[in-house]
C-alpha cells in the first residue's frame, strides 16, 4: 500500500520534497536492493549500484525523504539521488574532509570541535612523519583540516591527517592567518562541485588560499585583510544570489 502512495523519483527531480515522501524507483533498482547488484556476463557490463545521498534513506523498493529540499539526481553507473537543502547541522560521515578546531589535549589524543553533536578525536600519530619522538606542534585553538576514518552513531568520530599511503595530501594544521566562517551545507556541496563557476570567477579577482570543509566551515586567506573580507562576503552572498547577480558584483569589484 505504501508503494501506491509514492511518486516516481525521476518525475520529482528539481522539485521540492518533504519529509515522509516516498520516491519510487524503476524496477532494476528494486532488483539491486534485493541483492542482485553485481551481475556479470560476457555480453553486458554490470549496471552499477544506486547511491542514496543526504536527505534520503532506503524504504523497500523506494527512497524515503527525511529532509526538506530540492531533489537532485546524478546519472551514470547506478546513479545517485540526494536532497539539496540549506541544512546547517552537520552529521559526521566516514570519508568526509572537514575543518576542526582543537579544543583540548587528552594524553596522546586531541579533541576537535567539528560542528557535530560530539567532538572528534585525532591521534598525534595521524600526521605525516609523526612518531613518538617527533610529535606535531598542535595547540589548543589551532585549525585542523582532516578526514574522518570512523563516523557512526555508536562510536566517537575519529579523524586523521594522512591518506592511505601515509601522505598528508594537503591535510594538517591550517595557518594562523586567514578567516574562518560557516555557511550552509548546501553551499558547501555547490562549491565542491567539479568546475564550480563561483571559485573560477573568484580566482580571477584576487589570488587567495581556500580550504573547504564538508562540515560547513570555510577558511580563506588573501594577500590583504581587505581582500580576504571581500572574498568572504562574496562567498556568503553566493548562497542567495543568482549567477547574473554574482557576475555583476564581481565586475564592479574588478573595475575598482
Amino acid at each position: 500500500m505504501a508503494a501506491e502512495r509514492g511518486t516516481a523519483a525521476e518525475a520529482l527531480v528539481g522539485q521540492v520534497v518533504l519529509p515522509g515522501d516516498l520516491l519510487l524507483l524503476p524496477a532494476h533498482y528494486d532488483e539491486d536492493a534485493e541483492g542482485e547488484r553485481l551481475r556479470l556476463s560476457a555480453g553486458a557490463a554490470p549496471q552499477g549500484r544506486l547511491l542514496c545521498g543526504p536527505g534520503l534513506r532506503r524504504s523497500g523498493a523506494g527512497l524515503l525523504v527525511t529532509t526538506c529540499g530540492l531533489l537532485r539526481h546524478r546519472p551514470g553507473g547506478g546513479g545517485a539521488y540526494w536532497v539539496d537543502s540549506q541544512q546547517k547541522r552537520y552529521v559526521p560521515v566516514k570519508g568526509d574532509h572537514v575543518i576542526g578546531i582543537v579544543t583540548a589535549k587528552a594524553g596522546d589524543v586531541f579533541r576537535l570541535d567539528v560542528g557535530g553533536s560530539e567532538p572528534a578525536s585525532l591521534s598525534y600519530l595521524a600526521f605525516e612523519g609523526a612518531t613518538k619522538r617527533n610529535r606535531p606542534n598542535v595547540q589548543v585553538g589551532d585549525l585542523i583540516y582532516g578526514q574522518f576514518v570512523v563516523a557512526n552513531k555508536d562510536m566517537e568520530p575519529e579523524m586523521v591527517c594522512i591518506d592511505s599511503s601515509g601522505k598528508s595530501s594537503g591535510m594538517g594544521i591550517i595557518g594562523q592567518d586567514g578567516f574562518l566562517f560557516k555557511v550552509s551545507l548546501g553551499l558547501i556541496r555547490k562549491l565542491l562541485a567539479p568546475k564550480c563557476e563561483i571559485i573560477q570567477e573568484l580566482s580571477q579577482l584576487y589570488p587567495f588560499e581556500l580550504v573547504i570543509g564538508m562540515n560547513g566551515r570555510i577558511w580563506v586567506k588573501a594577500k590583504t585583510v581587505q581582500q580576504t573580507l571581500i572574498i568572504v562576503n562574496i562567498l556568503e552572498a553566493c548562497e542567495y544570489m543568482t549567477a547574473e547577480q554574482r557576475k555583476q558584483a564581481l565586475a564592479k569589484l574588478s573595475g575598482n
Side-chain angles (χ1 to χ4, degrees), residues 143-156:
L143 302 179
I144 303 290
Y145 180 63
Q147 180 181 19
F148 282 117
V149 292
V150 175
N152 59 59
K153 62 181 180 179
D154 300 319
M155 297 180 64
E156 178 185 62

Side-chain angles (χ1 to χ4, degrees), residues 87-120:
Q87 177 183 351
K88 292 188 176 181
R89 176 67 179 272
Y90 175 70
V91 178
V93 177
K94 182 179 179 180
D96 277 2
H97 289 77
V98 299
I99 298 176
I101 304 173
V102 180
T103 57
K105 290 183 179 181
D108 296 335
V109 175
F110 303 104
R111 300 291 180 187
L112 280 73
D113 171 20
V114 293
S117 58
E118 60 179 337

Side-chain angles (χ1 to χ4, degrees), residues 12-240:
L12 293 178
V13 174
Q15 300 185 27
V16 175
V17 292
L18 300 175
D21 289 349
L22 182 63
L23 309 179
L24 301 180
L25 299 173
H28 60 269
Y29 287 139
D30 187 19
E31 293 174 1
D32 289 345
E34 294 297 331
E36 300 179 10
R37 295 168 182 163
L38 299 177
R39 292 178 297 170
L40 301 178
S41 64
Q47 188 170 22
R49 179 182 178 185
L50 173 70
L51 298 179
C52 180
L56 300 170
R57 66 179 176 85
R58 288 278 189 175
S59 178
L63 301 174
L64 187 65
V65 180
T66 59
T67 305
C68 177
L70 297 177
L71 181 65
R72 302 296 188 187
H73 177 243
R74 184 187 67 209
Y81 283 97
W82 72 95
V83 177
D84 192 1
S85 65
Q86 301 302 315
Q87 177 183 351
K88 292 188 176 181
R89 176 67 179 272
Y90 175 70
V91 178
V93 177
K94 182 179 179 180
D96 277 2
H97 289 77
V98 299
I99 298 176
I101 304 173
V102 180
T103 57
K105 290 183 179 181
D108 296 335
V109 175
F110 303 104
R111 300 291 180 187
L112 280 73
D113 171 20
V114 293
S117 58
E118 60 179 337
S121 63
L122 174 66
S123 171
Y124 75 94
L125 291 174
F127 292 83
E128 182 179 1
T131 62
K132 290 185 177 180
R133 292 187 177 182
N134 183 28
R135 298 194 177 202
N137 183 21
V138 179
Q139 304 297 328
V140 174
D142 284 350
L143 302 179
I144 303 290
Y145 180 63
Q147 180 181 19
F148 282 117
V149 292
V150 175
N152 59 59
K153 62 181 180 179
D154 300 319
M155 297 180 64
E156 178 185 62
E158 182 179 341
M159 287 175 56
V160 295
C161 293
I162 51 176
D163 57 18
S164 57
S165 60
K167 301 296 183 181
S168 62
S169 300
M171 294 181 284
I173 304 174
I174 301 176
Q176 296 295 330
D177 300 330
F179 189 88
L180 179 71
F181 62 104
K182 186 171 175 52
V183 297
S184 71
L185 302 185
L187 179 58
I188 290 293
R189 288 192 290 269
K190 185 184 299 184
L191 295 175
L192 291 175
K195 298 180 181 180
C196 175
E197 293 183 356
I198 300 174
I199 303 298
Q200 292 178 357
E201 293 169 357
L202 281 175
S203 62
Q204 298 175 2
L205 186 62
Y206 302 122
F208 62 92
E209 298 177 51
L210 182 68
V211 180
I212 301 176
M214 284 297 295
N215 56 340
R217 291 174 179 168
I218 300 177
W219 178 87
V220 178
K221 179 184 177 183
K223 188 175 182 180
T224 65
V225 175
Q226 182 182 11
Q227 292 180 358
T228 300
L229 294 177
I230 289 174
I231 294 172
V232 169
N233 289 330
I234 293 176
L235 286 173
E236 289 181 329
C238 281
E239 190 167 357
Y240 310 102

